Amino acid sequence: MTANDGHTSIASAAAAAAVAAAAAVSGTPLSNSTHWSNEETKLLIKTWGEYRDSFAEIKRNLSVWNKVLDRLLNAGFFR
């Protein structure tokens, strides 16, 4: 596995978790669109990177994902 493959799978997992968290928190159905814009993806990866240590340190990391979700929602990205 190359470094890029690892980042891609991490970003994919982060994206899936953020979308699921958004739906769970809001009670609103998810968008039919499965494609994320470049801006949305970049913000997710940047935000995940800022909380990377927290993800590694905290066993139950829902609170960390909620912080990531808040950042995405505050930026106007909602699925």
Side-chain angles (χ1 to χ4, degrees), residues 23-70:
V25 169
S26 70
T28 304
L30 297 175
S31 166
N32 289 333
S33 174
T34 57
H35 300 284
W36 287 48
S37 69
N38 287 339
E39 295 80 17
E40 189 174 12
T41 303
K42 287 177 186 178
L43 179 60
L44 174 63
I45 293 169
K46 178 183 175 189
T47 305
W48 178 86
E50 292 172 7
Y51 291 106
R52 186 176 186 172
D53 290 340
S54 296
F55 282 113
E57 295 168 0
I58 299 171
K59 184 175 181 178
R60 297 185 184 261
N61 56 23
L62 179 61
S63 63
V64 183
W65 278 117
N66 283 333
K67 291 176 184 178
V68 173
L69 173 61
D70 287 342

